Amino acid sequence: MNSLWLAVIGMIVFAIGYRFYSKWVAEKIYRLDPNYVTPAHQYSDGVDFVPTKKMILWGHHFTSVAGAAPIVGPAIAVYWGWLPAFLWVTLGTVFAAGVHDFGTLVLSVRNKGQSVGTITNKLIGKRAKIMFLFIILILVLMVNAVFAWVIANLFVSFPASVLSVFLQIPLAIWIGYAVYKKKKGMLLPSLVALAVMYGAAILASRVPALQIDLVKYFGGADNTVMFGLSGVSMAFLVWIIVLMVYVYIASTLPVWKLLQPRDYINSHQLVVGLFILYAGLVFLQPEVTAPAMNAAATDVSWFPLLFITIACGAISGFHGLVSSGTSSKQLEKETDARFVGYLGAVGEGILALIAIIAVITVFATKADFTAAYSSFAAASSGGLGNFINGAAQLATGIWIPADIARTIVSIIVVSFAATTLDTSVRLMRYIIAEIGSEYNVQALTKTHVATTVAVVSSAALVLLPKGPNGFGSGGYLLWPLFGTSNQLLAGVSLLLVSIWLKRQGRNYLVTFIPMVFVFFMTLWAMIQQVVFQWSGYGGGELNMLLFGIGGLILIFVFWIIIEAFSAFSRNNPPPLSKEM
């Protein structure tokens, strides 16, 4: 089968979804008001609340929610065959992810830019809010720890990518200064920055002296450096320290100084990267060698695990955190929410689609695919590498050498992951401050105290426990909880938007139906994991850490759902403010 057909069908579905469905939702359901004074104007402080043009904000929003997840999830999920992954990415993006990201953005804008956790207090109650904040805190902590691990490992594995990634930081600061202090345009300098980064990537791919190869500096992979750490482990440790210092600074700076311009550059990286991959696909037109349904995938069932494995490629609770955490504080006009929120989700879908195509066409034969995807564990450990190789193969379709293509793809993956990491640390700072305010611990409401708690706890989770993937993979001890926790978060966010719409007297089915679907799949998957896999019951091996935390999250979610449906069915709920 020619893989180009998958791209064409997927693009048509995305185009119809944005052009018609999101327009209908914006006008008839969310009823966006161009004259509404957004929190960015109402509470403008030059740090977190900054009115921002929609193209720039889309760049921040999209690259923050993208990370590596819309690549890794689909690259693993093709283990069950390409057809289920393709259907969920296309239809899930249009009918679930789009209204979720769009809806949480609008809901937050109508509530002073507050997070979905805080809004829970208004729509459901105080107990639900505390439990929801706990789930969110666990989720962002996992994201911080695992994304730091991913970036550090990519730096170790692809040293040619390091120079370009670090060049982006001073370039972004320069662009932020030029735009906000000198009132210059952002497009041209951003494209110049991108050209500098890719020029550096090409040079570094061919000139070893420009590769920041810490393993080599430490005497090689097998050399013991200090504390019993090998050259690889020492390089990894140094990168983790550098990353933690970076995210501390990045998440406390005013958004216009680094976050916005860097994300704008990254959004161009996405456009260029997608152009390279889709253009390569058009010229190369590789055959799909993976099966539509993989009959050999019998150790883990795709139903319901597929909908947990593909998170950011379709719907993801983390998107709602970004929508209601940072994006809502920068929205210049309420009518921009459709462009930022819904089109951001479509961008994720387009990225996830090419990730699927890259992986299912990289293998020469079906037997090679089956050998590489021999088990779900093999798919999980090799998914990202398969994507990078598959993407590099697509890039050769427009005559880009494979080694340079691999470097560029790794730069894109690292840049997105770094964007997600420092946005996630910033979100964790907000949540810690909210908890400090809730329990009257004033110190936690301070920016640097809350950020220190976020960074130190994230670094501790990375480095202190012994994780399953070697030194520094402590975050992976909790990672099996990420998929279900993330999707439960999406379900609760859709529930909040549904309650808000019902109390406004509007049609709430656009968010209610995907909410029922997401809850059904996710609760089913989580009960399977907590009760039949981690509890030791039914032949599974007891895992007290996952069973304890997973069980607590499950109880909290059931509690939130019960309270939420009570609030949902209430005949005379407390009146909402006129602004809501």
Side-chain angles (χ1 to χ4, degrees):
M1 176 183 176
N2 189 326
S3 58
L4 187 59
W5 283 110
L6 295 180
V8 171
I9 295 169
M11 288 298 180
I12 290 173
V13 173
F14 292 144
I16 291 174
Y18 180 71
R19 176 65 181 83
F20 298 104
Y21 187 57
S22 75
K23 186 172 187 291
W24 177 75
V25 171
E27 293 176 354
K28 303 297 183 184
I29 306 299
Y30 295 152
R31 299 180 190 175
L32 304 185
D33 179 1
N35 298 315
Y36 184 79
V37 180
T38 63
H41 289 285
Q42 197 172 359
Y43 306 106
S44 178
D45 61 3
V47 179
D48 295 320
F49 292 86
V50 179
T52 305
K53 292 180 180 177
K54 67 180 182 180
M55 282 300 297
I56 298 173
L57 184 55
W58 181 85
H60 155 69
H61 180 82
F62 172 68
T63 53
S64 295
V65 299
I71 294 170
V72 176
I76 296 172
V78 295
Y79 168 64
W80 294 293
W82 60 262
L83 184 58
F86 173 79
L87 290 175
W88 177 233
V89 163
T90 50
L91 299 178
T93 293
V94 170
F95 295 109
V99 293
H100 168 269
D101 299 10
F102 185 10
T104 48
L105 180 57
V106 174
L107 184 63
S108 178
V109 166
R110 287 281 168 165
N111 284 274
K112 305 176 182 177
Q114 293 172 332
S115 73
V116 285
T118 302
I119 297 169
T120 306
N121 190 29
K122 293 181 182 177
L123 294 176
I124 302 177
K126 188 174 180 179
R127 281 193 303 270
K129 170 193 169 183
I130 298 300
M131 289 184 278
F132 198 27
L133 285 177
F134 169 79
I135 297 171
I136 294 171
L137 200 59
I138 293 291
L139 187 74
V140 293
L141 185 61
M142 283 189 279
V143 169
N144 295 345
V146 171
F147 273 56
W149 183 89
V150 168
I151 296 169
N153 271 292
L154 285 171
F155 278 163
V156 171
S157 302
F158 299 94
S161 69
V162 178
L163 179 64
S164 295
V165 172
F166 277 84
L167 271 176
Q168 189 184 31
I169 297 172
L171 288 169
I173 292 173
W174 164 65
I175 292 172
Y177 178 80
V179 170
Y180 286 92
K181 295 299 180 184
K182 298 296 182 182
K183 306 301 179 187
K184 306 287 186 183
M186 189 178 280
L187 179 61
L188 183 60
S190 176
L191 293 176
V192 170
L194 195 60
V196 171
M197 288 176 62
Y198 284 175
I202 293 170
L203 281 174
S205 295
R206 298 298 169 86
V207 181
L210 294 177
Q211 298 176 9
I212 304 177
D213 189 350
L214 293 188
V215 177
K216 183 180 174 183
Y217 299 159
F218 288 131
D222 298 326
N223 185 44
T224 301
V225 182
M226 60 175 68
F227 311 125
L229 296 177
S230 67
V232 172
S233 297
M234 197 66 202
F236 176 83
L237 177 62
V238 170
W239 284 132
I240 288 293
I241 294 170
V242 170
L243 284 170
M244 288 301 157
V245 172
Y246 162 74
V247 293
Y248 184 96
I249 297 170
S251 61
T252 53
L253 282 175
V255 291
W256 62 268
K257 281 191 177 178
L258 177 60
L259 187 140
Q260 282 183 353
R262 187 209 49 207
D263 293 354
Y264 194 56
I265 297 172
N266 284 343
S267 69
H268 290 134
Q269 282 209 68
L270 169 77
V271 173
V272 171
L274 288 177
F275 173 79
I276 290 172
L277 297 182
Y278 277 99
L281 173 67
V282 170
F283 282 99
L284 210 59
Q285 299 191 20
E287 289 292 311
V288 174
T289 52
M293 296 294 294
N294 185 12
T298 55
D299 57 340
V300 179
S301 170
W302 72 274
F303 197 86
L305 265 296
L306 172 82
F307 306 98
I308 313 304
T309 304
I310 299 178
C312 295
I315 189 168
S316 162
F318 187 75
H319 295 189
L321 293 184
V322 175
S323 290
S324 67
T326 55
S327 300
S328 63
K329 296 176 177 62
Q330 301 171 64
L331 198 72
E332 188 170 35
K333 295 180 182 176
E334 191 176 68
T335 44
D336 293 345
R338 175 187 169 219
F339 185 86
V340 174
Y342 197 96
L343 195 59
V346 169
E348 292 251 15
I350 293 172
L351 182 57
L353 179 59
I354 198 66
I356 291 172
I357 293 173
V359 173
I360 64 177
T361 57
V362 71
F363 299 100
T365 64
K366 182 180 175 181
D368 290 340
F369 171 86
T370 305
Y373 282 78
S374 57
S375 66
F376 187 71
S380 299
S381 62
L384 182 58
N386 292 332
F387 165 75
I388 291 177
N389 290 328
Q393 176 178 279
L394 290 178
T396 61
I398 53 171
W399 306 284
I400 296 177
D403 60 332
I404 292 174
R406 270 193 292 272
T407 300
I408 291 175
V409 170
S410 62
I411 289 169
I412 293 172
V413 173
V414 169
S415 299
F416 285 177
T419 301
T420 301
L421 179 62
D422 68 47
T423 297
S424 179
V425 171
R426 187 180 284 263
L427 290 170
M428 193 169 178
R429 187 241 295 177
Y430 293 159
I431 296 161
I432 291 169
E434 286 183 18
I435 292 174
S437 177
E438 184 67 38
Y439 290 101
N440 200 26
V441 183
Q442 289 302 312
L444 291 180
T445 64
K446 308 296 182 187
T447 298
H448 290 285
V449 174
T451 306
T452 300
V453 172
V455 171
V456 170
S457 58
S458 301
L461 183 57
V462 174
L463 297 172
L464 294 183
K466 184 179 179 182
N469 295 333
F471 173 68
S473 63
Y476 278 92
L477 291 171
L478 295 177
W479 194 246
L481 286 167
F482 175 80
T484 47
S485 303
N486 186 44
Q487 302 304 68
L488 286 173
L489 184 63
V492 175
S493 298
L494 285 169
L495 182 54
L496 288 174
V497 180
S498 300
I499 293 173
W500 175 65
L501 289 173
K502 182 174 184 288
R503 289 175 65 175
Q504 296 283 1
R506 301 177 195 171
N507 182 351
Y508 54 83
L509 293 179
V510 291
T511 51
F512 192 84
I513 292 172
M515 176 206 73
V516 171
F517 182 82
V518 169
F519 268 140
F520 179 76
M521 292 299 173
T522 311
L523 288 171
W524 182 1
M526 195 162 195
I527 289 170
Q528 271 191 347
Q529 290 179 322
V530 172
V531 178
F532 299 105
Q533 186 177 341
W534 299 328
S535 70
Y537 173 78
E541 186 177 345
L542 175 64
N543 187 323
M544 278 304 298
L545 181 69
L546 296 178
F547 176 68
I549 298 178
L552 198 59
I553 290 174
L554 199 55
I555 291 169
F556 281 4
V557 168
F558 272 118
W559 196 321
I560 292 170
I561 291 173
I562 291 169
E563 291 212 17
F565 275 96
S566 173
F568 190 81
S569 57
R570 202 175 295 159
N571 291 327
N572 297 302
L576 298 172
S577 65
K578 291 181 179 178
E579 290 78 12
M580 287 183 74

